[in-house]
């Protein structure tokens, strides 16, 4: 239906599920139409995968032009286009800003322009690409080519503008309308059903990350065949892959921070079934055509239902039964909210980019290197792998507020004109940023509602895309009635009769370890974590403090270090804990060190109440708590610089987390925080209280 529409000359929007044949919708017309087809694609890897997947008879008639080509190779490909040898041209949207490329397309003419992953044009979508907004200007430029006797391409005898085909797997009704508006064309919409009956959707509630890891290992063991596990950070991908390998499951990892050769090797190993499981960020999967993926697990919440549908849809492309599993903990909403805030563009970022443009261009027009604006967009903190995207989003917001105008590029550099600031420009920027935040919050709410929902999951996804569907009956956990059987039990803190003294339990475990560990490694042993490097059979203390959070165990460990019962050695690559002579003496004497105040008595001291809050392994970190933690970290950094000490000598992160969580208002309450000895309290206590409660300190 889409192919017929394109060949009839109708501008078309095609919305097809992952694996339903979007590529065929333009590859076949490209061979039948007289002039070349231009395919605008968002990623170099996606272009290459699509090119490599062409049939042998079609491959010689296709090419791609991108920044990965050297000058000679690019010149050869341009010559092939000019000679009439090419029917399919793949390019990124950024290339449409280059005058040389546009002149090339003008000279040969186009029959069809394809915007792949068209949802990237939505400024409020989950995968916004600012350069997609320039496609409209390029489309307006393309004029009909009059046939001539020297024309290398066969003529249809007609003189018409190129047909537009926009394709995506994820577009809500609102986004479908926005795609047409942003591209400047009235699009005939052809929407395929989102329902894929071979996919079985599940959402498994978990108590915490450790419970998630145990569930993940179970899923990978019980589901034969290739599996993709999605996580939201590079570090987590590597740690999960290492955890699965230690569970004797063949796993590799993939993320954008790896070298290109490493990424290619990881992808090939998975595609060739040398590695059964790939743990990846969303950088993996777009354009990867592996039909027999039997399991897709989201270890962390996806950014939106649109991205979840696209990522989960990479399972079962061969039509055979496959599982799509979402692992969900109560704290995930707060975690994803923090993750979104970290990745969002703030007004300060936009201002820095604008000031950098003013410094480079004054009130005029000129060329600016993207690296200059990336430095401006950075806040000077940790390296940000998404800084290029943030910079381009900030630049697009400045364009929408009519403060700048970006025109054609000069190679990689950008040509930008400074405009006279219109009345209300600042208010318009703040409105645009607030709109972005509201859309992000709405996407998060939809994902959480899907994870926690009790209705048919196929119905929920179909409704999201504006389609009606009867309950699947057999293809999701809710319809089969299995969700309620998987609700994880909340961890129970160790009671006083089982662990009468936390300090003695920690010291005994350190003594029984087969080899030294650091603070986190020891905490994982004590809590019985799934990814502990030392398991039960090798250490008597394994799981002794099961039910406690890692954060609280580390805090208690810091208290023992502060009392010289444990020591941290810095004589190796890692900071390792060892038992001191005083610690060994205390362990042998079995005198109280850190008594367990978590009793069944209804009468609690302030300390036991506060500690019981810290035990809650599934309680989400609130925004206020996170703000307090960041303020404490900033204060610690200043104190460390002033004293010329490493920050951890002032306070460990775990101690700051405990302070932020408990939010003590007096020195007496601060004294209950694990990891705080009398010396630290005397040195820093008043400053911490004043930082947390400046009004209270002033009143006193």
């Amino acid at each position: 239906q889409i192919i017929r529409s394109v060949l009839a000359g109708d501008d078309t929007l095609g919305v097809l599920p992952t694996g339903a044949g979007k590529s065929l919708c333009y590859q076949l017309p490209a061979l039948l139409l007289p002039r070349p087809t231009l395919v605008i694609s968002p990623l170099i890897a996606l272009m290459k995968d699509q090119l490599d997947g062409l049939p042998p008879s079609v491959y010689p008639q296709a090419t791609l032009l991108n920044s990965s080509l050297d000058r000679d190779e690019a010149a050869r490909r341009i010559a092939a286009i000019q000679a009439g040898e090419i029917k399919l041209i793949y390019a990124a949207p950024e290339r449409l800003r280059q005058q040389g490329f546009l002149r090339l397309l003008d000279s040969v003419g186009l029959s069809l322009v394809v915007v792949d992953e068209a949802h990237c044009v939505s400024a409020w979508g989950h995968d916004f690409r600012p350069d997609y907004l320039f496609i409209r200007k390029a489309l307006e430029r393309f004029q009909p080519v009059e046939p001539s006797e020297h024309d290398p391409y066969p003529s249809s005898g007609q003189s018409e503008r190129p047909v537009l085909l926009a394709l995506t797997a994820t577009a809500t009704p609102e986004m479908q309308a926005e795609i047409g508006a942003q591209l400047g064309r009235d699009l005939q919409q052809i929407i395929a059903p989102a329902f894929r009956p071979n996919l079985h959707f599940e959402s498994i509630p978990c108590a915490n990350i450790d419970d998630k890891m145990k569930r993940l290992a179970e899923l990978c063991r019980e589901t034969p065949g290739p599996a993709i596990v999605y996580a939201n950070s590079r570090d987590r991908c590597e740690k999960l892959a290492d955890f699965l390998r230690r569970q004797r499951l063949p796993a590799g990892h993939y993320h954008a921070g790896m070298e290109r050769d490493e990424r290619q090797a990881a992808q090939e190993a998975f595609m060739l079934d040398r590695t059964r499981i790939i743990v990846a960020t969303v950088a993996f999967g777009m354009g990867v055509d592996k039909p027999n993926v039997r399991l897709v697990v989201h270890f962390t919440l996806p950014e939106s239902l649109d991205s979840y549908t696209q990522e989960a849809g990479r399972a079962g492309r061969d039509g055979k039964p496959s599982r799509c599993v979402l692992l969900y903990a109560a704290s995930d909403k707060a975690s994803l909210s923090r993750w979104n805030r970290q990745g969002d563009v703030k007004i300060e970022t936009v201002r820095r980019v604008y000031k950098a443009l003013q410094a480079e261009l004054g009130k005029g027009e000129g060329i600016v290197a993207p690296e200059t604006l990336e430095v401006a967009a950075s806040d000077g903190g940790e390296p940000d792998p998404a800084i290029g995207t943030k910079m381009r989003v900030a630049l697009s917001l400045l364009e929408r507020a009519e403060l700048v105008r970006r025109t054609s590029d000069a190679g990689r550099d950008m040509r930008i004109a400074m405009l006279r600031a219109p009345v209300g420009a600042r208010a318009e920027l703040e409105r645009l940023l607030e709109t972005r935040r509201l859309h992000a919050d709405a996407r998060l709410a939809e994902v959480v509602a899907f994870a926690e929902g009790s209705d048919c999951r196929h119905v929920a996804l179909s409704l999201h895309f504006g389609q009606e569907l009867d309950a699947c009956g057999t293809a999701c956990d809710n319809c089969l009635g299995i969700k309620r059987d998987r609700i994880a039990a909340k961890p129970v803190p160790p009671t006083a009769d089982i662990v009468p003294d936390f300090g003695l339990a920690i010291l005994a475990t350190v003594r029984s370890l087969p080899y030294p560990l650091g603070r986190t490694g020891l905490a994982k042993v004590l809590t019985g974590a799934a990814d502990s490097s030392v398991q039960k059979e090798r250490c008597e203390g394994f799981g002794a403090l099961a039910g406690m959070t890692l954060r609280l165990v580390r805090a208690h460990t810091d208290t023992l270090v502060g009392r010289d019962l444990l020591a941290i050695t810095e004589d190796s690559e890692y900071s390792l804990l060892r038992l001191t002579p005083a610690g060994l003496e205390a362990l042998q004497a079995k005198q109280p060190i850190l008594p367990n105040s978590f009793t069944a008595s209804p009468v609690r001291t302030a300390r036991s109440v506060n500690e019981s809050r810290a035990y809650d392994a599934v309680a989400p970190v609130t925004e206020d708590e996170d703000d307090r933690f960041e303020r404490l970290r900033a204060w610690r950094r200043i104190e460390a610089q002033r004293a010329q000490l490493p920050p951890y000598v002032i306070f460990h992160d775990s101690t700051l987390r405990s302070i932020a969580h408990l939010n003590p208002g007096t020195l007496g309450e601060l004294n209950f925080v694990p990891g705080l000895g009398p010396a630290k309290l005397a040195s820093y206590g008043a400053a911490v209280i004043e930082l947390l409660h400046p009004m209270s300190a002033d009143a006193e």
Side-chain angles (χ1 to χ4, degrees):
Q1 189 177 354
I2 292 173
I3 291 170
R4 282 198 299 267
S5 177
V6 168
L7 293 177
D10 296 329
D11 296 326
T12 306
L13 168 64
V15 181
L16 295 173
T18 302
K22 288 186 293 294
S23 299
L24 182 63
C25 290
Y26 62 80
Q27 289 171 355
L28 180 56
L31 300 179
L32 300 175
L33 292 168
R35 295 189 179 278
T37 289
L38 172 65
V39 182
I40 304 299
S41 187
L43 298 174
I44 291 176
L46 177 56
M47 287 185 259
K48 185 178 183 302
D49 288 335
Q50 291 175 333
L51 193 66
D52 292 344
L54 290 171
S57 59
V58 180
Y59 186 85
Q61 302 177 71
T63 192
L64 60 84
L65 292 172
N66 58 42
S67 58
S68 68
L69 305 176
D70 59 42
R71 181 171 297 181
D72 291 341
E73 179 60 27
R76 282 193 291 272
R77 298 187 182 201
I78 289 171
I81 294 171
Q82 293 171 327
E85 300 171 5
I86 302 298
K87 301 300 293 288
L88 261 171
I89 306 169
Y90 289 88
E94 293 86 347
R95 192 156 289 261
L96 292 175
R97 293 184 184 271
Q98 299 184 7
Q99 291 298 318
F101 182 61
L102 293 177
R103 285 194 293 269
L104 169 67
L105 299 180
D106 285 341
S107 67
V108 299
L110 296 172
S111 286
L112 176 63
V113 175
V114 179
V115 181
D116 199 13
E117 307 296 341
H119 59 273
C120 294
V121 80
S122 172
W124 320 123
H126 71 285
D127 208 10
F128 174 49
R129 287 286 297 269
D131 286 294
Y132 264 64
L133 297 177
F134 192 75
I135 295 175
R136 176 174 183 165
K137 294 180 182 178
L139 288 172
E140 292 170 352
R141 172 192 172 115
F142 295 144
Q143 299 297 321
V145 175
E146 296 293 341
S148 69
E149 58 179 314
H150 302 295
D151 194 337
Y153 289 93
S155 174
S156 64
Q158 299 176 342
S159 177
E160 298 177 349
R161 67 175 187 176
V163 176
L164 175 66
L165 172 60
L167 291 168
T168 180
T170 54
T172 62
E174 295 78 12
M175 195 177 292
Q176 292 164 21
E178 186 180 0
I179 289 170
Q182 294 288 9
L183 295 176
R185 296 283 183 95
D186 184 15
L187 303 177
Q188 178 180 342
Q189 296 184 359
I190 300 176
I191 316 298
F195 178 47
R196 291 175 59 190
N198 66 308
L199 298 187
H200 185 277
F201 284 97
E202 306 167 55
S203 176
I204 300 179
C206 302
N208 48 34
I209 287 181
D210 187 58
D211 190 31
K212 281 188 176 185
M213 296 176 77
K214 293 174 182 175
R215 300 279 192 178
L216 175 62
E218 292 172 4
L219 288 166
C220 291
R221 284 195 190 96
E222 68 189 26
T223 310
I228 302 174
V229 179
Y230 282 110
N232 64 358
S233 73
R234 302 172 180 184
D235 181 60
R236 179 155 289 169
C237 287
E238 295 184 11
K239 288 181 177 178
L240 286 177
D242 181 62
F243 163 69
L244 291 173
R245 286 192 293 269
R246 284 191 277 109
Q247 302 296 312
R248 299 187 179 180
L249 291 163
H253 65 272
Y254 182 106
H255 56 69
M258 300 164 62
E259 296 295 330
R260 181 178 296 180
D261 291 345
E262 290 180 307
R263 290 200 308 270
Q264 185 173 350
Q267 180 172 322
E268 287 181 358
F270 181 67
M271 297 296 288
L272 298 175
D273 290 328
R274 298 193 193 113
T275 300
R276 185 168 73 86
I277 305 162
I278 190 83
V279 187
T281 61
V282 294
F284 180 84
M286 189 175 284
V288 175
D289 186 11
K290 186 172 177 63
N292 64 334
V293 173
R294 290 289 160 257
L295 173 67
V296 172
V297 180
H298 279 75
F299 190 85
T300 50
L301 286 181
E303 292 184 8
S304 66
L305 281 186
D306 303 73
S307 56
Y308 178 67
T309 303
Q310 190 171 53
E311 292 151 18
R314 287 168 189 143
R317 293 177 68 160
D318 56 4
K320 295 181 180 178
S322 304
R323 299 176 73 181
C324 307
V325 182
L326 182 61
L327 299 178
Y328 173 66
S331 59
D332 283 357
K333 180 179 179 180
S335 298
L336 183 57
S337 180
R338 286 198 307 274
W339 183 266
N340 287 342
R341 289 203 306 273
Q342 291 169 3
D344 201 8
V345 176
K346 299 178 175 60
I347 189 68
E348 292 80 10
T349 306
V350 181
R351 286 174 182 156
R352 288 196 297 267
V353 171
Y354 186 62
K355 287 181 179 179
L357 288 171
Q358 286 179 316
E360 290 283 319
L361 305 175
K363 296 181 179 180
E365 179 177 351
I367 302 297
V368 181
E371 292 80 7
T372 301
L373 299 184
E374 287 177 6
V375 170
S378 171
D379 61 4
E382 294 293 323
D384 186 350
I387 195 62
T389 300
K390 287 184 180 180
M391 179 273 290
R392 291 178 182 275
V393 170
L395 193 55
S396 73
L397 291 170
L398 290 171
E399 281 194 276
R400 290 170 70 96
E402 299 181 358
L403 288 165
V404 305
R405 181 178 64 249
R406 186 179 169 197
T407 55
S408 57
D409 288 347
R412 291 189 68 252
D413 295 338
M414 299 178 287
R415 182 176 283 106
I416 298 172
M418 304 299 291
L419 305 177
R420 184 176 180 179
V423 176
R426 175 177 177 146
E428 176 64 7
L429 279 175
E430 291 178 343
R431 186 192 69 80
L432 291 170
L433 287 167
E434 179 62 19
T435 302
R436 281 178 60 84
R437 283 191 290 270
L438 290 174
H439 278 272
D441 291 344
R443 291 197 299 269
L444 172 59
E446 288 172 341
V447 170
V448 172
F450 176 81
E452 297 178 340
S454 57
D455 296 330
C456 173
R457 301 200 186 278
H458 284 281
V459 168
L461 291 176
S462 295
L463 287 174
H464 177 72
F465 294 109
Q467 301 177 16
E468 294 185 0
L469 179 74
D470 292 332
C472 67
T474 58
C476 80
D477 54 354
N478 284 337
C479 284
L480 290 173
I482 61 176
K483 180 187 174 185
R484 59 179 176 272
D485 299 330
R486 299 193 112 143
I487 295 177
K490 184 175 179 180
V492 178
T495 54
D497 57 332
I498 299 174
V499 183
D501 192 285
F502 297 139
L504 291 174
I506 294 171
L507 295 177
T509 301
V510 171
R511 184 175 63 174
S512 67
L513 287 172
Y515 49 81
L517 293 174
R519 295 163 60 252
T520 299
L522 174 63
K524 288 183 177 181
V525 172
L526 284 160
T527 59
D531 61 336
S532 170
S533 60
V534 176
Q535 292 297 308
K536 185 174 182 178
E537 60 273 9
R538 302 194 65 189
C539 179
E540 293 179 2
F542 183 86
L545 301 183
M548 268 196 189
T549 62
L550 293 177
R551 187 168 61 196
L552 189 58
V553 175
R554 286 194 298 258
H556 284 319
T557 302
D558 291 342
T559 299
L560 299 180
V561 172
R563 295 186 186 179
D564 294 325
L565 301 176
L566 289 175
I568 298 177
T569 60
E570 303 286 353
D571 55 351
S572 66
E573 184 180 352
Y574 305 100
S575 298
L576 303 175
L577 292 164
R578 64 177 177 81
L579 198 63
T580 65
L584 180 60
E585 183 179 341
L587 184 59
Q588 292 171 341
K590 296 184 178 180
Q591 295 297 316
I593 301 175
L594 294 175
N596 181 353
S597 60
F598 200 96
T599 68
S601 171
V603 180
R604 299 277 182 89
T605 64
R607 178 172 187 172
S608 67
V609 171
N610 285 339
E611 284 187 346
S612 68
R613 285 187 63 217
Y615 280 119
D616 192 349
V618 298
V621 178
T622 66
E623 289 189 27
D624 288 344
E625 180 178 332
D626 214 38
D627 289 341
R628 288 194 293 271
F629 175 69
E630 293 302 332
R631 277 190 284 140
L632 287 165
R633 286 186 67 194
W635 166 82
R636 181 185 63 179
R637 184 168 58 249
I638 294 170
E639 287 292 329
Q641 290 171 349
R642 186 178 297 152
Q644 296 184 332
L645 293 170
Y648 70 83
V649 174
I650 307 295
F651 285 129
H652 282 286
D653 269 6
S654 59
T655 304
L656 296 185
R657 278 288 182 194
S658 295
I659 295 172
H661 181 63
L662 298 174
N663 193 23
T666 66
L667 291 177
E669 292 177 358
L670 184 61
N671 188 42
F672 295 140
V673 174
L676 262 178
K680 292 286 180 73
L681 192 66
S683 299
Y684 305 114
V688 169
I689 297 301
E690 183 178 2
L691 180 75
L692 295 176
H693 304 282
M695 297 298 291
S696 299
D698 290 343
E700 291 176 4

